[in-house]
Amino acid sequence: FCHQARYYVLDYKSNHLGENRQAYSTQAMAAAVLEHRYDLQYVLYTLALHRLLKARLPDYDYQRHIGGVLYLFLRGVDAKGQGVFADKPPQELVVRLDDYFAGLEKVHADG
């Protein structure tokens, strides 16, 4: 979605992290993101968005146009922002992946 000229990836998660609000703390959601490898998922979603915007916006700039990723943990969401995990993959990572998928960069086993 787009909000104030910035584009975001929004995904809904139905994970059950616990019975109360504290179960959906920033730390608990971050742990769930890593446990289920949603971090890899949202990097790939961000890469797809980056490639789309790069092709469609003549003045595209990652820092200016990409707002980040929001995961709504539905069982913990409330009006005060509880249950919302937010992140923005680093530009360097997204650009390197873009170059790799475009065949412009080789990945070396030694890093």
Side-chain angles (χ1 to χ4, degrees):
F1 71 93
C2 183
H3 177 68
Q4 296 181 346
R6 296 176 68 89
Y7 295 82
Y8 297 82
V9 172
L10 174 66
D11 198 356
Y12 300 93
K13 299 300 178 194
S14 61
N15 305 55
H16 182 262
L17 304 182
E19 297 299 327
N20 56 40
R21 289 176 41 109
Q22 291 76 23
Y24 294 88
S25 68
T26 302
Q27 296 84 1
M29 290 183 297
V33 165
L34 292 177
E35 178 183 349
H36 298 285
R37 295 314 319 242
Y38 297 147
D39 55 328
L40 176 58
Q41 181 185 48
Y42 72 68
V43 166
L44 293 174
Y45 289 168
T46 303
L47 172 61
L49 179 60
H50 165 78
R51 295 186 87 178
L52 176 71
L53 295 177
K54 190 170 76 166
R56 297 214 176 153
L57 295 179
D59 64 339
Y60 171 71
D61 175 77
Y62 183 87
Q63 292 303 327
R64 190 174 69 227
H65 290 107
I66 298 288
V69 175
L70 300 171
Y71 275 9
L72 303 183
F73 283 79
L74 295 176
R75 297 170 191 256
V77 171
D78 70 14
K80 297 176 184 164
Q82 183 80 15
V84 179
F85 174 85
D87 195 18
K88 181 177 178 181
Q91 179 177 358
E92 180 183 351
L93 172 61
V94 174
V95 169
R96 288 195 68 188
L97 286 170
D98 186 23
D99 288 347
Y100 176 75
F101 282 104
L104 301 175
E105 183 175 306
K106 302 284 186 220
V107 174
H108 301 283
D110 60 356

